[in-house]
């Protein structure tokens, strides 16, 4: 019986080996298909990621230019001229200017501007009743932008009016004069990124002051002309 069973077992063994050898290519094909699926999933994932990045970039570009307002602060160099007491009898120093603008439309704006600087009397024969003055003013402004919405560079023209306050000092005595202002100017600016930028402002102002002086001195003390350039930084909010 043993010699008879051995060939049968051997044949069965050979048959299983043949089956395994025939199944091996199928297994390799399954592994290859699995690798293709992983590559396909990876490709789809990268494609979705690139689409998401493109949409994010588009949103960045959209919101980059949709500015609702801006705050700016800068160095002010006031230059009085003409026949008036601030031009003829004052040594005026540098100051600071601060402003905020709302931009309901990218072509039009409205805002508020504040500035402050100090001057000392240099000609006591013309101005002898105080020694120095702190000059502060606040203006309501509005204007128009001449630049495209998508441009980083802009030029705005504006006008405004407001209130000016002179806080005068002589020794330990203090008193105040005031009046109203009219202004006009051009602003040039460049946005460095979404939020920050630089600006330069060329501005002309007229002061109409209510100072109690003799009639012959009214034109000298009551009407003042001023060129006030400034440079600084601005912050845009979306």
């Amino acid at each position: 019986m043993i010699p008879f069973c051995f060939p049968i077992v051997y044949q069965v063994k050979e048959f299983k080996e043949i089956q395994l050898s025939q199944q091996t290519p199928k297994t390799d094909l399954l592994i290859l298909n699995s690798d293709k699926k992983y590559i396909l999933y990876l490709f789809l994932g990268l494609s979705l990621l690139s689409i998401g990045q493109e949409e994010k970039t588009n949103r960045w570009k959209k919101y980059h230019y949709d500015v609702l307002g801006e705050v700016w602060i800068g160095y002010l160099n006031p230059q009085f001229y003409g026949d008036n007491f601030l031009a003829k009898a004052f040594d005026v120093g540098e100051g600071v200017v601060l402003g905020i603008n709302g931009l309901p439309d990218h072509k039009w704006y409205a805002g508020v501007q504040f500035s402050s600087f100090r001057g000392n009397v240099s000609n006591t024969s013309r101005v002898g009743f105080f020694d120095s003055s702190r000059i502060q003013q606040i203006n309501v402004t509005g204007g128009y932008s001449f630049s495209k919405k998508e441009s980083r560079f802009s030029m705005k023209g504006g006008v405004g009016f407001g209130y000016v306050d002179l806080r005068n000092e002589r020794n330990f005595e203090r008193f105040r004069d005031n009046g109203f202002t009219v202004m006009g100017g051009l602003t040039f600016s460049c946005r460095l990124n979404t939020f920050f930028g630089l600006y330069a402002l060329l501005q002309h102002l007229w002061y109409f002051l209510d100072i109690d002086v003799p009639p012959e001195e009214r034109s000298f003390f009551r009407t003042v002309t001023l060129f006030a350039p400034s440079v600084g930084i601005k912050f845009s909010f979306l």
Side-chain angles (χ1 to χ4, degrees):
M1 294 294 295
I2 296 176
F4 178 74
C5 292
F6 178 76
I8 295 175
V9 173
Y10 181 77
Q11 289 177 359
V12 171
K13 183 177 180 182
E14 279 186 336
F15 178 74
K16 288 184 177 180
E17 288 178 352
I18 292 171
Q19 280 188 326
L20 289 173
S21 64
Q22 291 177 349
Q23 291 176 354
T24 303
K26 293 183 179 179
T27 305
D28 293 340
L29 184 61
L30 290 174
I31 293 173
L32 183 60
N33 289 335
S34 178
D35 291 340
K36 286 183 178 179
K37 288 181 181 178
Y38 289 137
I39 293 172
L40 179 61
Y41 292 152
L42 179 61
F43 176 76
L44 290 174
L46 292 175
S47 299
L48 292 174
L49 181 62
S50 64
I51 292 172
Q53 288 292 102
E54 184 178 357
E55 290 179 352
K56 184 177 179 181
T57 303
N58 290 334
R59 290 198 303 269
W60 172 264
K61 288 182 178 178
K62 177 182 178 182
Y63 292 115
H64 182 85
Y65 301 111
D66 287 345
V67 177
L68 297 179
E70 54 191 12
V71 178
W72 45 277
I73 184 171
Y75 161 84
L76 178 67
N77 184 22
Q79 302 290 327
F80 290 93
Y81 69 93
D83 188 19
N84 60 78
F85 74 103
L86 289 174
K88 298 295 185 179
F90 258 73
D91 182 14
V92 179
E94 296 82 4
V96 62
V97 60
L98 173 68
I100 181 170
N101 291 330
L103 304 168
D105 182 271
H106 75 278
K107 284 295 184 183
W108 298 94
Y109 73 91
V112 178
Q113 175 184 314
F114 171 81
S115 64
S116 178
F117 54 92
R118 190 175 183 85
N120 297 315
V121 175
S122 58
N123 188 348
T124 55
S125 63
R126 302 298 302 270
V127 179
F129 47 92
F130 57 91
D131 298 325
S132 63
S133 181
R134 166 69 63 181
I135 303 172
Q136 297 177 332
Q137 61 184 16
I138 184 168
N139 293 306
V140 177
T141 62
Y144 180 81
S145 175
F146 301 97
S147 304
K148 293 182 179 180
K149 181 179 179 181
E150 296 79 10
S151 177
R152 289 181 180 268
F153 300 92
S154 67
M155 182 179 72
K156 297 183 179 71
V159 295
F161 62 92
Y163 173 83
V164 60
D165 181 59
L166 283 71
R167 302 186 178 188
N168 308 311
E169 298 180 7
R170 180 180 175 87
N171 297 329
F172 297 102
E173 297 180 4
R174 296 181 181 180
F175 59 97
R176 298 167 70 171
D177 294 306
N178 52 58
F180 71 93
T181 66
V182 177
M183 53 148 293
L186 287 174
T187 303
F188 304 90
S189 62
C190 172
R191 296 180 67 184
L192 302 178
N193 55 35
T194 301
F195 299 106
F196 293 99
L198 303 175
Y199 83 90
L201 172 62
L202 303 177
Q203 196 170 67
H204 193 277
L205 299 101
W206 293 263
Y207 292 172
F208 302 95
L209 303 172
D210 184 18
I211 300 178
D212 188 14
V213 292
E216 62 273 13
E217 295 286 344
R218 286 180 181 176
S219 62
F220 186 72
F221 283 95
R222 289 194 173 186
T223 305
V224 175
T225 51
L226 164 66
F227 177 63
S230 69
V231 293
I233 59 174
K234 71 172 185 176
F235 174 80
S236 301
F237 51 91
L238 309 179

